[in-house]
Amino acid sequence: KYWHEQHGAMPAVLTYDTLEYSVPARIAEERARELAVEQYAYCADTIEQSAPGMTVGNLAERLKRSTVWYFWWD
């Protein structure tokens, strides 16, 4: 509910171990890092189980370029 109110995020795909949100616009640069920290707290696997070298900063960069937020739990 919070991300919907803040960013217009809507659940788009839900499986037993993944969740994708669709957002109407990319995240502004000044908000991206804060949102990346929120998403890391929500789903640490987004970074911990991702490609080697993935960081909160990398996630923030992705948020600035995409209108899909992807979460995966291992």
Side-chain angles (χ1 to χ4, degrees):
K1 180 179 175 187
Y2 170 78
W3 284 337
H4 176 70
E5 292 170 349
Q6 297 297 311
H7 307 287
M10 295 289 293
V13 176
L14 177 63
T15 71
Y16 71 97
D17 66 349
T18 61
L19 172 60
E20 290 185 20
Y21 285 90
S22 176
V23 291
R26 294 179 183 124
I27 300 303
E29 185 167 349
E30 59 274 1
R31 179 74 172 97
R33 181 138 182 110
E34 180 182 347
L35 180 59
V37 170
E38 289 175 12
Q39 290 189 2
Y40 177 63
Y42 176 69
C43 178
D45 284 356
T46 300
I47 293 174
E48 302 296 330
Q49 298 291 328
S50 193
M54 181 65 161
T55 65
V56 170
N58 297 128
L59 179 56
E61 288 300 316
R62 287 184 181 185
L63 293 171
K64 292 188 294 187
R65 295 189 315 261
S66 182
T67 58
V68 175
W69 299 350
Y70 177 78
F71 301 93
W72 169 66
W73 291 267
D74 189 20

